[in-house]
Amino acid sequence: MSNSEIKQFFKNQTIFITGGTGFLGKLIIEKLLRECWDLKKILVLVRPKKGKTPQERLNEILERPCFHHIKNKNVWEKICLLEGDCDKPFLGLTDKDIEVLKNETTCIIHAAIRVKFYQSLRELSWHVRATRDLVEFAKDMKNFKGFVYISSQGACCLRNHIKEIVYPPPIKPETLLSLVETCDDSVLEKITPGLLHGWYDSYCYIKSITEDLVKTSGDLIPTTIIRPSNISSTLQEPIEGWNDTSLAAVSVIKGMCMGLVRTLNVYPEIPVHTVPADYVVNFTLAAAWKTAQNSFNTTMVYNCTGEGLSCEKLLEYLETFYFEFPSMKYLWFASVTFRRSKFWHQVWLTFYTFIVYVFDFVFLCTGNPTNYATLYKNAYRQIDVLTNFCRRRVQCDTTNVRTLWKNMSQDDKTLFEFHTEKIYTYDAVKTMFLGMRLYLLNDPIETVPAARKRLRKLYIYSLVTLVTASEEPKPGKKHNNVKNLCC
């Protein structure tokens, strides 16, 4: 008999989840259904997409490997689908569904976001508006216990020391929404560079603004903000290494192993702050339990992050797994260079992009036109944003996280583990690598022998091309190539 206080908290509760079709949202739903079956209901917001109805999308999601452990349960006893869209006012919900929310919901987990770093402010402003509308709904909920907002460490990307507080936003939420509503696209495009000055991207900018909105609401409803660092594949549950989206560090590692990412503007000694997805899920549910106990009119903030490996050490581990578990999906032989100099990084990136253009031209001449160059450039735009976090040391306070862990029972620590100190060991990186290979590259482990033979061929091909060309300047130059992996 479990003495879990967290499971007891969710008993007979109705949880409204936004972002339930996303990577993190799926895992939150799965964990609730697996460990907190006594809850009353999970309300999931789903929008139509690519010609599929919300019902069809949710049916497909429940067939994913991460739901394997609950496939024998009648999940429709607990899941209630709400058709809506965070892009639209009041989340695109009907008046009837809004009444259902207000009458039944006891806890909101707001996990909806599109992790695309180069969206316009108009494209991203929905996130602020949807959060505002959710807060307004929560004020009218009769038995409301807590609002959990999943933010990002990127919301504090301008700071070297990130405390567990909400920092002043670059612009007030109301001001941003007013600008988006009153300015046409041409005016908004002109003023955006000034608004984003100093920020890595519009994604981090919007997250900071939304945190302020949630904090302001903390006087009226119990609220919590969770700031995960880069979210990686699952470490332990529901299955090891599971991932279904190329986000953050995983996208960089995938590109490196496939032979596409060949230059990175990072400092090798800087640690990569990463946290496994299942730890974020467990922490989210623990934070919801704690939020309901909070008798103070204040917003709790948690920096959910781990002590990451340095870029250099991570690359060392990956080199081992690259050889030990090669994939049939590799496109070219891996050769990655860490460059401190942004100038030399851009020089080499331009060279590699030119090579991709050559491939596009060759395919065009053979009657098989491709658009690899555009895809390559767009991918690197995302990667270059991520590597901003690998060029300076960032210290994150985790006092609130450690206090929450300390106050949990032993049963809860077992069921909802998120203790992130020293989690990124050799074995953890191996789990992430194998998960990437199986779930993102869709390459079963049985192909390893054939992949080794193919890897040898790729190596021979690479020796007779300029693609793996690199210089090794003398130590001390500003453009020193700190680490060159020629696997």
Side-chain angles (χ1 to χ4, degrees), residues 163-296:
K163 299 180 181 179
E164 290 177 307
I165 61 174
V166 176
Y167 292 98
I171 186 174
K172 282 293 183 180
E174 301 82 5
T175 306
L176 174 70
L177 293 176
S178 178
L179 280 173
V180 171
E181 291 168 3
T182 58
C183 297
D184 60 30
D185 288 342
S186 61
V187 173
L188 202 58
E189 187 177 350
K190 288 180 181 178
I191 66 175
T192 294
L195 293 174
L196 295 181
H197 179 68
W199 287 81
Y200 288 167
D201 52 77
S202 54
Y203 171 84
C204 296
Y205 183 83
I206 288 293
K207 281 293 190 181
S208 174
I209 295 170
T210 309
E211 281 193 7
D212 181 72
L213 190 154
V214 174
K215 176 192 174 185
T216 304
S217 308
D219 295 336
L220 304 171
I221 58 174
T223 56
T224 286
I225 295 172
I226 299 174
R227 285 193 197 120
S229 53
N230 289 321
I231 300 176
S232 70
S233 312
T234 59
L235 187 60
Q236 297 172 334
E237 55 174 336
I239 45 180
E240 292 183 355
W242 187 76
N243 197 340
D244 71 345
T245 182
S246 295
L247 295 178
V250 177
S251 66
V252 180
I253 292 170
K254 177 183 174 183
M256 288 161 54
C257 292
M258 293 185 71
L260 298 175
V261 175
R262 312 187 74 80
T263 176
L264 290 172
N265 181 207
V266 301
Y267 297 171
E269 71 276 9
I270 298 297
V272 182
H273 290 280
T274 312
V275 60
D278 46 336
Y279 280 41
V280 178
V281 169
N282 289 338
F283 187 84
T284 298
L285 301 184
W289 160 70
K290 192 63 178 178
T291 303
Q293 298 178 339
N294 189 2
S295 58
F296 305 102

Side-chain angles (χ1 to χ4, degrees), residues 224-482:
T224 286
I225 295 172
I226 299 174
R227 285 193 197 120
S229 53
N230 289 321
I231 300 176
S232 70
S233 312
T234 59
L235 187 60
Q236 297 172 334
E237 55 174 336
I239 45 180
E240 292 183 355
W242 187 76
N243 197 340
D244 71 345
T245 182
S246 295
L247 295 178
V250 177
S251 66
V252 180
I253 292 170
K254 177 183 174 183
M256 288 161 54
C257 292
M258 293 185 71
L260 298 175
V261 175
R262 312 187 74 80
T263 176
L264 290 172
N265 181 207
V266 301
Y267 297 171
E269 71 276 9
I270 298 297
V272 182
H273 290 280
T274 312
V275 60
D278 46 336
Y279 280 41
V280 178
V281 169
N282 289 338
F283 187 84
T284 298
L285 301 184
W289 160 70
K290 192 63 178 178
T291 303
Q293 298 178 339
N294 189 2
S295 58
F296 305 102
N297 293 328
T298 183
T299 299
M300 289 297 295
V301 181
Y302 298 94
N303 289 330
C304 185
T305 185
E307 182 181 338
L309 296 170
S310 69
C311 297
E312 190 171 31
K313 179 58 70 173
L314 178 61
L315 191 59
E316 179 185 322
Y317 288 167
L318 289 174
E319 180 179 0
T320 300
F321 307 137
Y322 178 83
F323 278 125
E324 189 175 353
F325 307 104
S327 170
M328 294 294 293
K329 301 297 179 70
Y330 292 165
L331 297 177
W332 203 247
F333 197 79
S335 177
V336 183
T337 304
F338 290 166
R339 292 184 168 89
R340 290 181 178 273
S341 168
K342 188 172 184 179
F343 171 78
W344 286 107
H345 165 70
Q346 289 297 334
V347 167
W348 282 94
L349 179 57
T350 301
F351 170 71
Y352 294 133
T353 305
F354 170 76
I355 295 297
V356 178
Y357 271 115
V358 171
F359 281 128
D360 273 351
F361 179 73
V362 171
F363 283 124
L364 178 63
C365 293
T366 59
N368 298 297
T370 59
N371 195 26
Y372 290 141
T374 300
L375 295 173
Y376 192 73
K377 289 192 293 184
N378 289 339
Y380 251 108
R381 288 184 72 193
Q382 305 288 335
I383 290 170
D384 282 344
V385 170
L386 293 169
T387 54
N388 282 321
F389 295 94
C390 299
R391 289 196 294 273
R392 60 186 178 88
R393 290 189 180 275
V394 176
Q395 180 184 353
C396 294
D397 285 349
T398 56
T399 302
N400 292 343
V401 174
R402 286 183 277 111
T403 300
L404 176 56
W405 177 259
K406 183 179 178 181
N407 291 337
M408 288 168 55
S409 68
Q410 190 56 50
D411 281 358
D412 281 332
K413 287 179 179 179
T414 301
L415 292 173
F416 301 93
E417 183 179 0
F418 58 80
H419 196 50
T420 58
E421 292 185 9
K422 297 181 180 179
I423 53 172
Y424 274 97
T425 60
Y426 178 91
D427 289 336
V429 177
K430 180 179 179 180
T431 296
M432 181 174 63
F433 181 90
L434 292 176
M436 176 204 69
R437 188 186 185 284
L438 176 59
Y439 300 111
L440 294 183
L441 298 182
N442 296 314
D443 197 3
I445 198 70
E446 289 78 14
T447 66
V448 165
R452 287 200 181 106
K453 295 179 181 178
R454 186 171 185 273
L455 187 60
R456 284 194 287 270
K457 292 179 181 179
L458 290 177
Y459 176 65
I460 294 171
Y461 296 156
S462 71
L463 291 178
V464 294
T465 66
L466 293 176
V467 180
T468 55
S470 63
E471 66 167 324
E472 193 66 36
K474 295 179 181 179
K477 284 190 177 183
K478 290 184 179 180
H479 57 283
N480 181 30
N481 293 339
V482 182

